[in-house]
Amino acid sequence: MDAALLLLADSRLPAGGHAHSGGLEPAVTAGVVRDLPTLADFLRGRLATAGLVAAGLAAAACAGGRPGLDAEADARTPSPAQRHASLAQGRALLRAARAAWPHPALEELGPSHHPVVLGTVVRVAGGTPAQAAAIAAYGAVTGPASAAVRLLGLDPLGVQRVLADLAGRIDATAAEAAESVRAGVLPAASAPALDLFAELHRQADLRLFES
Amino acid sequence: MNFASRAAVAAVRAPDGRTRVTRLRSDGPLALRESGGAVYLVGAGAGPLGGDDLELTIDVGPDACLAVRSAAASLVLPGRRPGPSRLAVRARVAAGARLVFEPEPAIAAAGCDHRALAEVTLERGATLTWREEIVLGRHGERPGRYVSRFDVTYDGLPLLHHELRVDENATSAAVLGAAKAAGTVLLAGEDLTREPYAAEGLGVLPLAGPAVLVTALAEDTVRLRDRLTRGTAEARLAAGIEDPPQSPPTTRAAVSRDAGAVAGTAPDGGAGRR
């Protein structure tokens, strides 16, 4: 894989990803994620739903030629809190990407959802839709996994093992998304529990992460 | 025995202002009856069963008002022959028209392999209430595979694309967790709240377009219905609507049925199904 794409997948990319837990913080608050096995279970479900949808949108944005992707992202994100978080992360990523990979396509891009920005940046950086899908699917679980270390004080080595065990599923999810987009269909897998967690989190008085 | 069935209902606004059902076509296990101002899916026989391919088309003409309900919950079962079952509902709601689609829950039995598809096209100024409830297995039973895809456009733009997959990932705490029943009510086109609301097992989610998705998870179907009802009221009350709009009664006269496709008299109707 191209080094530019590794930079994009890196959690050290200054795009504000560390401020979001992908619904993990409210799941911890609700007591459904407590330890490594419940974290693995949460990430598996998140990958198959929100991860698949993000991977599809990123692949479509990378392939280009499909206007209205932000409306498609909106229609796949019923939770207002999640739409807000996705737009905020899109804005932060666009800012970092414009600095790192100056390109007219990034200057033209207005306020967009995170996967749409990600796919566009991957295209500008010379990547393929399948690679855009892979970075999106990977980010869908690595962000919440880092949040779990901070929130639950889990052993980072144990969390890394959880992620390593998920690697095959991450690849499969990215492949499913890219294949679906090639066939002209954007995935729309929903996660009702994540939707509810996102809204409960927005109401919460005390929180470490924005989402 | 497996079915490829195509049922249809169409309604228009008559000159006297009442809604008239102008087409009511039952086919195979999809039997339709008009009763008390609504059209009911009465379900001739069990199912859907594996291998069934069912389609229902709903058309609501300008300014007409139609309610489609079902007489009982549907039990989604595996068939004797391999292969998934499929139920597609396609609805068009014209400008100024209203569709209420409120079937009873679908129960995903052990071993089922089902795809439910709903495609709803709302013209500008149409209103919609669309309920879907899925029960994950009969008592003490784990469900088979059940995928429910819901695609809605409003005035040509995407409003909601939502696919619930009851599969090996569904028990994840991120998807359905320990819930035994999941459901949604989509309210569109009315004056609705723009403020989200969340409580245990219930979310009232204003969409980016002119609609609210009420979503609920529960340990049983009674609590699920309670939550969806509460969320629906919340979505409307918060917008200052005291009484939800009701469907006016449809006239029973002047219903034309497609020849040879009347429920119960179709050659491949419910009788041969058991």
Side-chain angles (χ1 to χ4, degrees), chain B:
Chain B
M1 190 167 172
N2 301 104
F3 289 99
S5 304
R6 305 289 177 258
V9 53
V12 299
R13 184 186 170 99
D16 66 1
R18 305 178 80 178
T19 291
R20 218 172 63 187
V21 174
T22 52
R23 184 163 194 239
L24 197 64
R25 179 193 156 90
S26 301
D27 189 13
L30 287 176
L32 299 164
R33 295 276 192 281
E34 224 188 323
S35 172
V39 167
Y40 282 82
L41 275 160
V42 293
L49 300 177
D52 283 357
D53 178 14
L54 315 177
E55 253 184 63
L56 170 65
T57 307
I58 301 170
D59 191 276
V60 192
D63 300 317
C65 193
L66 178 72
V68 178
R69 302 197 161 90
S70 68
S74 63
L75 182 61
V76 182
L77 293 160
R80 257 178 242 147
R81 285 188 287 182
S85 52
R86 180 176 159 276
L87 169 63
V89 182
R90 290 178 224 286
R92 182 194 71 109
V93 189
R98 170 166 186 79
L99 172 64
V100 176
F101 186 79
E102 289 182 331
E104 295 305 307
I107 303 161
C112 75
D113 182 6
H114 185 66
R115 268 197 80 86
L117 296 149
E119 249 179 53
V120 182
T121 305
L122 301 172
E123 291 180 4
R124 194 181 183 83
T127 59
L128 178 77
T129 300
W130 188 285
R131 182 176 74 202
E132 183 183 37
E133 295 166 318
I134 302 169
V135 181
L136 309 173
R138 289 167 290 195
H139 185 72
E141 176 182 82
R142 291 175 67 129
R145 186 177 163 80
Y146 189 111
V147 176
S148 174
R149 171 107 191 189
F150 190 24
D151 294 308
V152 189
T153 60
Y154 182 89
D155 195 20
L157 294 171
L159 183 67
L160 180 67
H161 293 294
H162 194 263
E163 182 175 273
L164 183 63
R165 297 178 172 187
V166 178
D167 58 13
E168 69 280 4
N169 295 312
T171 53
S172 164
V175 186
L176 297 177
K180 292 293 290 174
T184 54
V185 176
L186 177 67
L187 303 166
E190 305 171 33
D191 186 18
L192 298 162
T193 183
R194 296 306 299 161
E195 272 303 303
Y197 167 85
E200 194 197 343
L202 171 65
V204 178
L205 313 173
L207 304 183
V212 170
L213 184 72
V214 178
T215 182
L217 298 173
E219 50 274 57
D220 58 53
T221 173
V222 173
R223 263 166 278 204
L224 182 73
R225 179 69 62 84
D226 281 352
R227 284 176 181 169
L228 290 174
T229 304
R230 186 151 58 88
T232 302
E234 191 73 33
R236 288 182 171 138
L237 280 174
I241 305 167
E242 296 291 325
D243 298 304
Q246 298 289 326
S247 350
T250 51
T251 51
R252 286 191 59 80
V255 173
S256 73
R257 293 188 167 91
D258 295 18
V262 178
T265 64
D268 60 348
R273 189 164 172 79
R274 295 179 195 276

Side-chain angles (χ1 to χ4, degrees), chain A residues 75-156:
Chain A
R76 284 161 177 76
T77 319
S79 150
Q82 285 180 351
R83 288 198 300 276
H84 181 81
S86 172
L87 287 167
Q89 291 179 84
R91 195 162 48 238
L93 175 58
L94 187 56
R95 186 168 167 270
R98 278 173 176 164
W101 297 276
H103 191 281
L106 297 182
E107 295 307 319
E108 286 160 18
L109 196 62
S112 285
H113 284 280
H114 183 264
V116 178
V117 177
L118 177 62
T120 310
V121 179
V122 170
R123 169 155 46 92
V124 163
T128 64
Q131 289 170 328
I135 295 172
Y138 171 79
V141 292
T142 52
S146 309
V149 174
R150 289 167 67 187
L151 286 165
L152 290 166
L154 295 178
D155 169 20

